[in-house]
Structures are given as C-alpha cells and as structure tokens.
Amino acid sequence: MYHHGNLRREILEAALAATEESGPANWSLRELSRRAGVSHTAPVHHFGDKTGLLTAIAAEGFALFADELEAVVDDFFEVGVAYIRFAVSHRAYFEVMFRPELYRTEDPEVVAARERARQILLAGSRGLAPTPQQQRAVTLAAWSTAHGFASLWLSGALTESADGDAETVGRQALEAALGHLRRG
Amino acid sequence: MYHHGNLRREILEAALAATEESGPANWSLRELSRRAGVSHTAPVHHFGDKTGLLTAIAAEGFALFADELEAVVDDFFEVGVAYIRFAVSHRAYFEVMFRPELYRTEDPEVVAARERARQILLAGSRGLAPTPQQQRAVTLAAWSTAHGFASLWLSGALTESADGDAETVGRQALEAALGHLRRG
DNA sequence: GAGCAATCTTACCAGTGACAAGATTGGAGG
DNA sequence: CCTCCAATCTTGTCACTGGTAAGATTGCTC
C-alpha cells in the first residue's frame, strides 16, 4: 500500500498499544507493520530504526508529561500527584521515557522536552527549604517518592499492599512523605 | 566442551555482567554461551529458556536483597538506605527484579524470596503511625522514596541534579522525606 | 565395567532488525 | 496536460536470535 497517508502516526500508536500490553521490548517492528497493513520496512522511512521509533515515543512522552505537570505547577504537592497520574494513564510513554538504554537520550527533541519537565519539577518544590542544600534534598525527595510510587505501581509490586486506585493511594503515600513540608 | 563443571554459575554471572553493561534485554543467550566457550544450546539444560535464566537472576536477587535488608531491620531509616545501596551495588539484579515482564514472577523461589524481602520492609516501618491506615501510608511512602531514588539514580536521571555518591545523596533525600517520622 | 542419567552438541526452523535496490505516486513547474 | 522529482513504500537478502529435536559424551553408581 503506497502512500498510506498517516503511517507515522499509526505505527507510533501501534507501538504504544503493544507497549501497554507487554512492555517496550516485547514487540517487533515487523509486527507493527503487519498490523498497519504495510511492508516490514515501511516504518524505516519515518523512524530510521527501532531505536528511532522509541526515541520518538520518548520525545512525545516527555512533552505530554511536561504539559500535564505544567497545569498544576503552582502547587508543589499536586505536581507529585500529576506525576503519578501521568505514569498510570500514559503507562507506555512512561515505561519508555525512564529506560534510557532503549532510545537516543541525546536526541534534540528528547532533550528539550525532558528539560522542560525537569524545570517544572524543580520549580514545584522551590521555597520549601531554607538552604540550597536542603532545597535540593526536598526536590529529590519529592521526585523520588512520586517516581517510586509510580514505578512500583506499574510493576505490580503494590498489588498486595494497596487497594484503591493509583491516584488515591499515591496521594496517601505522598502525604505521608511530604505532607509536613506542605504544612510548613 | 562436555561437562564444563560450573556452567550454570558461569552463564548466570555472564548474564549479570552483560546486564550491568547494557541492560537486561541487550544481550543474547548465544552470546553468553560463546563467552563461556560452550555451544549455544548448552544453557538450556540449566535454565530452560531465556526467561528461565532471568527468573533465576530475579530469585537470587530477591534473596540477596532480603539478606541485606535483614541486616539493618531494626532501624527503619537504614532499611531505606540499604534499599538504595543494594540497587546501586547490585544493579543488574535490581533491574531484573522489578521488571516482571522479563521473568516468571510466580516461580516458587522468586515468590519465597520476594515475600521475605517484603516482610522486612513492612516490619521496618512498623509502629511509626497510630492507625493501620496511616501505618500503611508510611510504609508505602518509605518504600516509594527509596525505590524511586534508586530507579532515578540508575536511569541516570539525577546526573544533573545531584553530586556525590548514591548512598550519601540518597540519605539526604530519605531524610527530607522521612526524617520527621524518625524523630517522632 | 555396564549402564544410566546428567550434561552438552549438531542441525534445523521461524522470526527479527538492518540494509540495498527498486517500484509507485502525489504534486510542482513547465 | 504532462514531465519529472521527491517522498513514500516494496521486494529481496543478510546475519543473528530463541527454541526444539535428536544424538553424542562422560561422570557415577552398583
């Protein structure tokens, strides 16, 4: 099928769907091509190689991530909640983004989007501690807690320890770790 | 080479070394076999298939993990530090353990070792909150913070935000998140 | 010292990512 | 209109992979 019209997008979506089902490694470019009804090398023109496809996913993921964090940037605590919400609701993106061996981490689009997200995280916890040293520790703590909860949740490690939806339980964990910072 | 003598161990170590270098997906059984000087199907007898090898790594990893946590079980805060120390010093194990799509999570050895580690984590934060509900939140918070810091550190996400060795910086992050629980 | 069971090998298959060379087609410029 | 170019997709091929089947080797037991 020459001139599919929307192949780049369709392959990308198929990759996301496949990643959602079985992780970012358990699918092949050829499988995605078959699903899209094109030859096994059709994606090459759009992504170069498999790493290129994963790089595109990471770049788009960091951009979406930054967007969602930006929406709540004024509330330090809600940035953490948004972090968790993003991981759960955009699982496939998240699983690629934080697995640097999968894609080209220094791709310009990736770098730009990732840096944008990072700045929002840094801004979110600004002014919560007196010294720069403590400031940095607070940022790290918040980032670690949100990221850790999200990772554990996605890996299924919490199925025995937590009941409820991710956002509710995540809020409780964030509150236990960081609530004292919020209240001053 | 018939009757290598120690093939199971050698393949396992080679897999750990390769995982350390390039992640748990970027090596092949055949490559490990070549390194060990045996035919490409020799590992089959010991592990069944590639998933079996990764399952063995996960089982051994959780057992080592439980051992290291056990050594400091009396101090809630030090359990978190030990968690981070394990992730950094046994990176290959850690990266497999928390990637359930890679191995058979319900393998009896895996289940036993993982459950042992889980109990230590639960015990570590016992008595730090009045109600069971808060108790659970504190456990989740501590686990999330340690796990998140370890994951971010291993993925390289912190290279711009933190200087120093993982344990030192990790302590600071844990202190910022959980220090208030320690001091009562 | 015979035979068994554990361990390893050789041979093969389908599936994969990458590459090279070529086919098709929409659209721009004459 | 129509020519031709660049974007897009296809066919063909390669080395490599994981998995399976069948068979070879060898340490150990009795």
Side-chain angles (χ1 to χ4, degrees), chain A residues 27-39:
Chain A
W27 46 261
S28 65
L29 271 182
R30 290 168 104 106
E31 185 191 331
L32 304 185
S33 301
R34 279 192 295 270
R35 279 203 214 179
V38 295
S39 83

Side-chain angles (χ1 to χ4, degrees), chain A residues 47-55 58 100-108 110-111 114:
Chain A
F47 301 104
D49 55 11
K50 190 175 184 178
T51 302
L53 171 51
L54 288 162
T55 303
E101 76 275 15
L102 286 179
Y103 64 96
R104 283 179 272 274
T105 52
E106 296 316 312
D107 171 271
V110 169
V111 170
R114 187 181 55 212

